[in-house]
Amino acid sequence: MNFKINKAVLNNAIKKVSGAINPNTPVPALTGMHLAANQDGLTITGSDSDLSIRTFVPSDETEGVEIIEEGSIILPAKELAGIAQKMPKDLIAFATTDETQMQISSGKSKFTLNGADGNEYPKLPTVEGDSYPIKGQVLQELVEKTAYATSKTETRPVLTGANLFYQQGSIGMVATDSHRLSKVVGDEQVEGDISPVTIPEKTLQKLPKLIGDAETVHVKQTESQIVFQTEKAQVFSRLLDGNYPQTDRLIPAEHKTRLTTNRKDFLSAMERSTVLADKDQKVVTLEITDENSGIFETIELSHNNGEVGQSKEDIIVDETEGEELKISFNAQYMIDALKRIDDEKVVIEFNGAMRPFIIKPENKTHFVQLILPVRVY
Amino acid sequence: MNFKINKAVLNNAIKKVSGAINPNTPVPALTGMHLAANQDGLTITGSDSDLSIRTFVPSDETEGVEIIEEGSIILPAKELAGIAQKMPKDLIAFATTDETQMQISSGKSKFTLNGADGNEYPKLPTVEGDSYPIKGQVLQELVEKTAYATSKTETRPVLTGANLFYQQGSIGMVATDSHRLSKVVGDEQVEGDISPVTIPEKTLQKLPKLIGDAETVHVKQTESQIVFQTEKAQVFSRLLDGNYPQTDRLIPAEHKTRLTTNRKDFLSAMERSTVLADKDQKVVTLEITDENSGIFETIELSHNNGEVGQSKEDIIVDETEGEELKISFNAQYMIDALKRIDDEKVVIEFNGAMRPFIIKPENKTHFVQLILPVRVY
């Protein structure tokens, strides 16, 4: 195996693949990166067996890779990454001395790195069947707007991922940790008969960077595996077992109180309200009072941490309608939700002090977030 | 107590003072910041009793503080910092409701913060005697070039600080952890009879930011305390007990081998050589061989980590003289030393494989660093 590669191209590929590697894996081969060179180019793979990432550097690009001899090898991931980063010149030459040892040189610097035979690397899962295309930008949005709401505890394992579903010709995604929920439907018509699957949070975390600015992502899925493919990267992920709960019936269709406010100002106020809060208990109280016979100009947000002090804030609202309300909730959940909205204005719809309430962008219907209130004694 | 202050000015002052506060101190009053307002302005103090930082915001500046009523209070540090950072408007109003409670408001946001009576705050040490002036820039240089070499273990407590000394009319500073040493003498004539004192590393760590771009720092010292004073900040520090070792006799005046090389290239090579090293044992070997009858063009740097691999590097040198040499040392020490030098070229002088060697800027004599080699079996 023998090739020459541009330093920046190599570092870029290594960075992508690194995300899948767990240095503490019990499978020794998986602590390394798999490099395979053939006449088409160089393929680099990293995997923790649940998640595998494969990048491809074509040999025909000017600033890419020049393959001199085909072959494959496993090299220690951390060391390979360190060497690639610190090499003195823009061109790095790789040449095996035998099946398990690589010489890497650049300028007057030369490394000999001990690895393992490329054939010892575990096979990636094969995912059969047709793929469907989805816009890179749409997939980005689905992931970024829902992944945060996945459960961080293993009580119900299926909730630690986000559910990808197909609804009225569009792909959507929903996540909930049973205290809050986020659901978004992509604004793109996708053809096919796509079964709902639940994608682990770790995969969601890595996906946006791997998709990058790819225009189209080709998705292929079975009952246990999903593959996301762009021109330069392939992401293989295990899926989560179990039936994802029916979330649509959790989202209330009606409301008793409704307010529209500036997203940024409301977010700042929420962030201020957590300054005096304990780390684990950021409960705030929002009070909407009918001072001017139905026309509210401000609502009040307060937090009381007896020992340290209190905060109080008047929130300027654009519009409110409906009943008076005093409701308490976790401020961090509201902060997380507001951060996922791009619009200038947000709408919040309540159904009384003890019922879940929803947050959504003012002018869009495809994105809805839900928060369960907290009982305060 | 009642004052109005510009948000950025307040945040700046709080940030400086925060550095001295240890949230886990056993003295409750010291978990807070002390605020004192009088007609001249606002003084904010933070302290962990070893190190105290005091900043002053004058009342006569346009964008400063407006004192409405004098007084003092202790407020919880973390919460005060959080509030100051997150307030919505550029002007923040402070008003006590009683001796232990402060109302802080800005725009439509209002906090009530519980603190303690300002009179309960411990008195800062009084440091009597004359002060001597030192250029801010010189003090910065002394600290930045030596603090890294202080000992991180408590075996010899006096080595955990840097020794400030007076020598032939200049102030200098030296630090050593007994494996390496850094000594720099300021290029400024200072008048006075200044006794050597040893400043704890924690103080050195904070000092550069606190000095900022102050032109002159006034230093006052006793046997147990030192105070650094600029126009806007005062730093009080405990000094370390014990006699600092005589370091001058450790620095060899002669050499058997000498080389001059490009600092940046040598630093990159050293950094590459640590890629394959264990975290705690970054030993590299430098070999200078007399290939061309006394004229060396390259020297060789190598590292061998049997399990993972080896690295080898040819270093281009500008000039060498003296004996052939093969020497092993901790690469991290060399990296630390090279990073403290500003010059394009560095000179390294050796006295054989088992004797300490020195690193210095090519054209300056006021700054010398020393490293002890490692015995390799």
Side-chain angles (χ1 to χ4, degrees), chain A residues 280-343:
Chain A
D280 304 318
Q281 216 190 342
K282 299 185 175 174
V283 176
V284 291
T285 299
L286 190 75
E287 192 164 3
I288 304 173
T289 44
D290 191 356
E291 278 170 355
N292 302 307
S293 49
I295 301 155
F296 312 82
E297 288 193 321
T298 61
I299 55 174
E300 193 179 300
L301 182 68
S302 63
H303 175 80
N304 193 335
N305 181 338
E307 216 176 299
V308 190
Q310 300 108 47
S311 68
K312 226 192 81 174
E313 185 110 19
D314 291 328
I315 310 283
I316 299 172
V317 292
D318 294 306
E319 213 182 299
T320 58
E321 53 166 82
E323 298 176 5
E324 293 196 340
L325 178 72
K326 185 173 177 179
I327 189 168
S328 297
F329 54 87
N330 185 326
Q332 190 58 52
Y333 289 177
M334 181 62 94
I335 291 170
D336 290 344
L338 292 170
K339 280 187 173 167
R340 295 324 180 284
I341 295 179
D342 308 313
D343 290 36

Side-chain angles (χ1 to χ4, degrees), chain A residues 168-273:
Chain A
Q168 293 164 342
S170 291
I171 294 284
M173 214 177 258
V174 61
T176 177
D177 61 6
S178 76
H179 300 289
R180 54 173 165 183
L181 176 149
S182 180
K183 182 188 173 185
V184 57
V185 178
D187 62 345
E188 178 195 21
Q189 289 296 307
V190 176
E191 277 182 40
D193 180 23
I194 298 153
S195 313
V197 291
T198 307
I199 305 166
E201 199 269 340
K202 189 185 170 189
T203 306
L204 299 171
Q205 219 183 75
K206 310 287 175 193
L207 213 47
K209 273 199 185 166
L210 293 165
I211 301 169
D213 51 6
E215 201 164 312
T216 307
V217 181
H218 295 273
V219 187
K220 215 190 254 190
Q221 57 183 61
T222 64
E223 260 181 43
S224 61
Q225 289 284 337
I226 192 163
V227 190
F228 300 92
Q229 171 143 16
T230 68
E231 246 175 71
K232 289 190 178 170
Q234 264 179 310
V235 182
F236 297 77
S237 171
R238 179 178 69 86
L239 293 169
L240 292 178
D241 282 338
N243 287 323
Y244 201 82
Q246 290 299 323
T247 53
D248 279 345
R249 58 182 177 77
L250 300 175
I251 302 166
E254 299 185 339
H255 62 266
K256 292 183 180 157
T257 313
R258 182 180 203 268
L259 67 88
T260 307
T261 187
N262 180 286
R263 186 187 71 87
K264 271 195 192 157
D265 291 346
F266 194 45
L267 177 57
S268 307
M270 292 303 314
E271 285 177 331
R272 273 193 293 281
S273 76

